[in-house]
Amino acid sequence: MKKQKKLIIVGNTTNARLAHWYFKHDSPYEVVAFSVHGAYIQTNVWQGLPVVPYEQLEQLYPPAHFDAFVAIGYKKMNQIREQMYIQTKAKGYFLPNYISSRCIFLAEAPIGDNNLILEGNTVQPFVHLGNNNVLWSGNHIGHDTVLHHHITLTSQVVVSGYCTIHNNCFLGVNATIHNEVTLAKATLVGAGAVIRKNTHEKEVYLPAKTILWHKKSDELDF
């Protein structure tokens, strides 16, 4: 794929490394540098590219000539990613979406920016998607669902139809959200949890604990 655009990735951890790989192999963007605050720079070169102080980003890579993508994880319920998203937009950068060519994306409504949607996701018709969300691999987003902003869905999450997920929610691996359910702001749904009713802000939901059975596997007749 011919690279026609230049991109700076904001971040220098696992999320940034993966975003670099996806943009490099499956987008029209050439990633030219990483950027973090100067206090967090441990090396001036990473993944073969320069790492530049975020405080100097617009002087080194002016937003008139470069776009930026904020690739930061979900710590503090996505609030750090949210803050860097707001700051990077304020610097004047256009923040593109990455939507994998290997996902099924059927929503037709305009979506926000700085979304990372990886392979194997199914996004059904009439879904509305806001800004700065991460949909890791293999999730299902049911029809007529609304995802607001700064949300993380890990992997194999099922969000049924007519759901609403508000800002800063986190959904763990294999979480299931029943149809017509609303998750309030900063709801944390643990891996494997099933949510059948609306939640309240900042609630945490964990599934039943898996138990260790008293028999060994070679004692079972199966």
Side-chain angles (χ1 to χ4, degrees), residues 51-212:
V51 181
V52 301
Y54 187 74
E55 297 86 346
Q56 302 173 25
L57 183 58
E58 57 268 54
Q59 287 78 42
L60 296 170
Y61 296 94
H65 303 291
F66 298 88
D67 296 341
F69 186 84
V70 178
I72 293 174
Y74 51 78
K75 285 187 177 181
K76 297 186 181 295
M77 295 300 292
N78 308 297
Q79 291 182 55
I80 297 174
R81 189 169 81 243
E82 176 184 4
Q83 292 166 6
M84 294 305 296
Y85 166 84
I86 292 170
Q87 291 175 25
T88 306
K89 287 204 77 166
K91 287 177 179 287
Y93 286 96
F94 174 76
L95 305 178
N97 295 303
Y98 171 77
I99 302 176
S100 173
S101 62
R102 294 174 175 82
C103 79
I104 300 171
F105 194 93
L106 303 177
E108 297 176 333
I111 72 172
D113 56 13
N114 207 79
N115 292 291
L116 184 70
I117 303 175
L118 301 188
E119 71 279 358
N121 280 282
T122 297
V123 180
Q124 289 193 322
F126 313 117
V127 168
H128 291 262
L129 186 65
N131 305 318
N132 196 34
N133 299 300
V134 173
L135 279 64
W136 221 247
S137 304
N139 302 293
H140 171 91
I141 311 300
H143 62 90
D144 296 280
T145 283
V146 178
L147 274 67
H148 285 267
H149 315 299
H150 323 299
I151 296 162
T152 295
L153 276 65
T154 52
S155 288
Q156 309 303 323
V157 172
V158 175
V159 179
S160 302
Y162 290 103
C163 291
T164 299
I165 300 179
H166 285 284
N167 292 7
N168 299 96
C169 288
F170 175 90
L171 281 69
V173 173
N174 287 320
T176 299
I177 312 302
H178 198 268
N179 59 291
E180 300 183 354
V181 164
T182 295
L183 300 187
K185 182 178 179 180
T187 297
L188 191 159
V189 182
V194 178
I195 307 300
R196 299 180 179 275
K197 296 182 179 179
N198 296 346
T199 70
H200 296 91
E201 187 170 331
K202 297 183 180 180
E203 288 183 334
V204 177
Y205 291 85
L206 303 177
K209 185 177 180 180
T210 300
I211 62 170
L212 174 64

